[in-house]
Amino acid sequence: MGGSPRAGAWRGAAAPVGGGFPPHPRAAIVSVGDELLLGETVDTNGTWLARQLSDLGFRVVRRWVVGDVPGEIRKGVGEALSTAEVVAVTGGLGPTPDDLTLPTVAGLLGLGLALDTEVLSGLEARFQARGFGVLPEEAKAMARVPEGARVLANTRGSAPGLALESGGGTVCVLLPGVPAEMKGIFRDEVAPLLRARFSSRLEPVSHRVIHTTGIPESLLAREVARLELPADPTVSMAFLPDLRGVRLRLTARGRPGDPGVQEALDRFEERLEPAVARFRYRSQVGDLAESLGQALLIRNQTLATAESCTGGLIAKRMTDHPGSSRYFLGGVVAYANPVKEALLGVDPVLLEEKGAVSREVAEAMASGVAARFGASAGLGITGVAGPGGGTELKPVGTVWIALSVGGAVVSRREFFTGPREDVRERGAQAAMALLLRELEGTEP
Ligand code: ATP
Ligand code: MG
């Protein structure tokens, strides 16, 4: 079969280069589907698989996104197979005419397809159990299996996954596109298979995330650069900004829990501390609201919120955490001025003279809600989320945040960029951060 160019793609990938595989096995991912290229569907399967394969200890070297077109699928999978020892393909395994992954990949590898009676009876049983009667002819395509392939049971759907292994050790797995099915098959079947095949060569990496908020990425990078950290070949660092702040992800080679790995991460984190201390928050789930909740709890304090431009976002995030009634009493979404007056006691004269987006109104909202809810802390937030409503003095993105604690009030003006959703998200985060920093200044 040496003369066949298709089989060559398969064998080429399998052949060890220079007498042996590099120590760290490489993986690649091909996501198949026109909807991914049209931008209708986000390729979450690709990111999920990348994460899983990395966590297993593979080095994910590349991802392809291709349409439901045989030529493109062939090119993508062919390139993937010449790049990596493990190739995961997701999408296009179903029964409809646009599902072309299976025959295309089988063709690429020079493998014939044969009806698998066991898979077929499984499909028939599933179809009947759901009350649809006799399995339609088209659906039988899902029971066609390439010669030598291993069938990966799909307990959540119809089309099974398939694992194709070359003699040289390359593994190509085909998975359905439906995320829940793809994930189920990967966890139940693919992960154990890959662990068994590559066990000794897998090199997992361990991550630690340091969460910061209230400082832009560039300034945080400058703070870190000022530390002039000694080169550390064992730990690498990435800046990951989003609307809520910047995460610093530290990565060390080795299994999570290995003493050496922990030590390396601890050392790196300690060195970073002077740059990040003023901005960081600690949270298991990566949410500032969790961190704030803990800070309130250990100080026996309670919070009430008065939200205008964030429309209840802070209350939502505080109550995302179970047990939050111990420290979060409740909030008022005071969007219209009459509600600010009636429910929070904001003076109509202030609203008239200073405007709804002003220091005075934010402060009155904070102290009003704290008093009315009997909370030790009150947060008030009012701003111009946009897209309309901005003026020269108060452009879109202007947000006033106020905090009332034990009768004392502090407030701050922020100018946020981005569309309405961004302004709201940033505003909620900044308000919670204001209270967290204030609490951190007091002994628990
Ligand atoms: P099935 O065997 O269940 O028919 P399939 O392999 O044919 O699955 P597709 O038809 O490609 O899968 O996709 C099914 C659904 O899964 C679609 O709603 C699609 O948007 C979603 N999906 C497909 N690929 C991805 C992806 N890479 N990331 C996220 N969602 C995806
Ligand atoms: Mg599809």
Side-chain angles (χ1 to χ4, degrees):
M1 62 177 252
S4 154
R6 301 146 152 190
W10 187 225
R11 282 195 324 139
V17 184
F21 284 121
H24 206 62
R26 293 150 66 97
I29 297 159
V30 184
S31 302
V32 182
D34 285 345
E35 71 273 23
L36 304 171
L37 291 179
L38 290 169
E40 272 170 22
T41 302
V42 180
D43 179 20
T44 53
N45 286 359
T47 54
W48 190 88
L49 284 166
R51 180 69 197 258
Q52 298 296 314
L53 289 163
S54 303
D55 284 353
L56 279 171
F58 290 92
R59 182 167 300 161
V60 179
V61 289
R62 205 185 289 183
R63 288 167 45 198
W64 284 260
V65 176
V66 300
D68 296 301
V69 182
E72 294 297 321
I73 298 173
R74 195 175 296 125
K75 225 161 59 192
V77 175
E79 284 174 15
L81 283 168
S82 64
T83 305
E85 290 170 66
V86 170
V87 175
V89 185
T90 167
L93 276 195
T96 55
D98 63 346
D99 292 315
L100 301 165
T101 301
L102 180 54
T104 305
V105 175
L108 171 74
L109 303 179
L111 302 171
L113 288 172
L115 198 72
D116 185 306
T117 49
E118 210 174 304
V119 174
L120 182 62
S121 53
L123 289 174
E124 284 169 345
R126 185 181 153 81
F127 210 70
Q128 271 155 20
R130 294 170 73 197
F132 294 133
V134 181
L135 190 73
E137 205 52 40
E138 313 75 90
K140 290 186 182 164
M142 291 189 288
R144 287 163 62 78
V145 170
E147 40 182 317
R150 177 159 151 182
V151 175
L152 309 172
N154 181 358
T155 55
R156 296 161 186 83
S158 300
L162 295 163
L164 308 161
E165 294 183 62
S166 79
T170 302
V171 178
C172 178
V173 293
L174 308 182
L175 300 165
V178 179
E181 298 179 24
M182 183 278 297
K183 291 178 186 176
I185 298 173
F186 189 92
R187 283 202 194 98
D188 299 346
E189 303 276 343
V190 179
L193 184 149
L194 295 180
R195 265 199 213 98
R197 285 292 174 283
F198 293 91
S199 57
S200 60
R201 294 169 52 222
L202 293 176
E203 199 180 291
V205 289
S206 304
H207 300 294
R208 181 172 301 175
V209 178
I210 297 174
H211 300 277
T212 74
T213 191
I215 180 167
E217 182 186 19
S218 54
L219 293 184
L220 184 61
R222 187 190 291 171
E223 294 287 324
V224 172
R226 278 213 188 104
L227 296 174
E228 293 180 6
L229 297 177
D232 187 340
T234 61
V235 179
S236 65
M237 179 171 61
F239 289 77
L240 308 172
D242 64 20
L243 290 176
R244 294 183 180 181
V246 181
R247 284 166 295 148
L248 291 174
R249 192 193 57 214
L250 312 184
T251 303
R253 300 238 163 266
R255 261 171 229 292
D258 276 2
V261 172
Q262 290 308 311
E263 205 179 292
L265 291 171
D266 287 348
R267 187 177 56 230
F268 203 99
E269 185 180 343
E270 214 168 281
R271 287 181 179 150
L272 276 179
E273 191 60 19
V276 300
R278 283 180 298 142
F279 310 103
R280 84 177 290 182
Y281 60 91
R282 290 162 205 271
S283 158
Q284 292 295 319
V285 296
D287 184 5
L288 175 63
E290 186 201 18
S291 186
L292 176 56
Q294 290 309 306
L296 287 162
L297 192 61
I298 58 174
R299 290 172 179 81
N300 247 326
Q301 299 231 28
T302 54
L303 169 65
T305 51
E307 300 184 64
S308 184
C309 60
T310 45
L313 194 51
I314 301 173
K316 191 266 175 194
R317 286 187 51 197
M318 292 304 295
T319 55
D320 277 343
H321 301 281
S324 44
S325 66
R326 289 174 293 168
Y327 49 80
F328 181 72
L329 302 186
V332 174
V333 178
Y335 207 55
N337 286 350
V339 176
K340 294 185 180 80
E341 295 168 23
L343 294 187
L344 299 170
V346 178
D347 187 345
V349 177
L350 279 185
L351 285 163
E352 176 64 32
E353 287 181 356
K354 308 289 180 182
V357 178
S358 61
R359 175 197 294 275
E360 291 78 3
V361 168
E363 292 184 352
M365 288 169 69
S367 43
V369 81
R372 290 177 183 220
F373 280 66
S376 57
L379 272 177
I381 180 164
T382 172
V384 189
T391 63
E392 202 171 320
L393 282 179
K394 294 173 188 174
V396 168
T398 306
V399 176
W400 274 101
I401 294 162
L403 167 64
S404 163
V405 192
V409 182
V410 290
S411 51
R412 203 162 75 200
R413 184 174 52 181
E414 303 273 4
F415 294 106
F416 295 120
T417 54
R420 184 174 177 83
E421 258 323 292
D422 294 14
V423 171
R424 285 151 61 99
E425 193 70 40
R426 292 180 199 275
Q429 187 79 349
M432 290 190 285
L434 179 66
L435 175 54
L436 179 65
R437 299 300 168 225
E438 195 70 23
L439 291 171
E440 284 172 344
T442 66
E443 283 301 311

